[in-house]
Amino acid sequence: EVQLQASGGGLVQAGGSLRLSCTTSGFTFERYAIGWFRQAPGKEREGVACISIGKRSTYYGDSVKGRFTISSDNAKNTIYLETNSLNAEDTAVYYCNADVVDSRGRRQIYWGQGTQVTVSS
C-alpha cells in the first residue's frame, strides 16, 4: 500500500527555519516525483517544490525560490523540504504528494496528510 506521511511543522518566528519531512512507503515503481504543496486559509493550494526521482531534477515555486530547498534520502525513503527566511505569508498547511508511473505506464497521484507551519511576526 502506498503511503505518504508529512511531518516537521510547527510554530517558528519570522526569519527562522524548519525542515519538513515526507516519508514514503509501499513504493514499487520505477519512476516517480515527489511534490510539496501548501494551502493557507482562504487561499487556493499552491505548488511549492518538486523533485523528480527518475530525471534527477528539482523545481520551485516563484514565491519560495531561493529560500526553500527540496532533497531526497533514498536510503530512508524520505524527501525533505528545508524552509528558510520564513515570513507570515508562509503560514499554511504543507502537503506532500507522489506522482507515480508503474511498469505498465499507468499514472497515479497519492496525497499524504498535511503538517501545519505557523510563522509568527
Side-chain angles (χ1 to χ4, degrees):
E1 180 181 359
V2 174
Q3 291 186 325
L4 302 166
Q5 182 174 339
S7 62
L11 177 64
V12 63
Q13 190 175 8
S17 302
L18 285 173
R19 189 177 75 166
L20 308 183
S21 299
C22 178
T23 302
T24 67
S25 63
F27 277 61
T28 58
F29 311 106
E30 297 178 350
R31 56 191 177 98
Y32 58 94
I34 302 295
W36 283 97
F37 296 80
R38 67 185 183 185
Q39 187 166 22
K43 296 183 178 180
E44 295 183 349
R45 186 178 63 198
E46 177 187 14
V48 176
C50 178
I51 182 168
S52 175
I53 304 303
K55 296 183 178 181
R56 302 175 183 177
S57 59
T58 58
Y59 305 88
Y60 296 94
D62 290 340
S63 63
V64 305
K65 190 174 297 183
R67 298 190 297 122
F68 292 8
T69 302
I70 189 170
S71 62
S72 65
D73 186 335
N74 293 335
K76 297 182 178 180
N77 297 317
T78 301
I79 292 82
Y80 301 99
L81 183 69
E82 183 73 33
T83 70
N84 299 293
S85 301
L86 290 166
N87 57 63
E89 295 182 349
D90 295 315
T91 295
V93 177
Y94 286 70
Y95 303 87
C96 61
N97 80 345
D99 188 343
V100 172
V101 178
D102 64 20
S103 61
R104 293 183 175 272
R106 185 178 63 179
R107 185 182 183 182
Q108 297 187 45
I109 307 297
Y110 301 92
W111 287 91
Q113 295 297 114
T115 185
Q116 176 72 49
V117 173
T118 303
V119 184
S120 63
S121 59

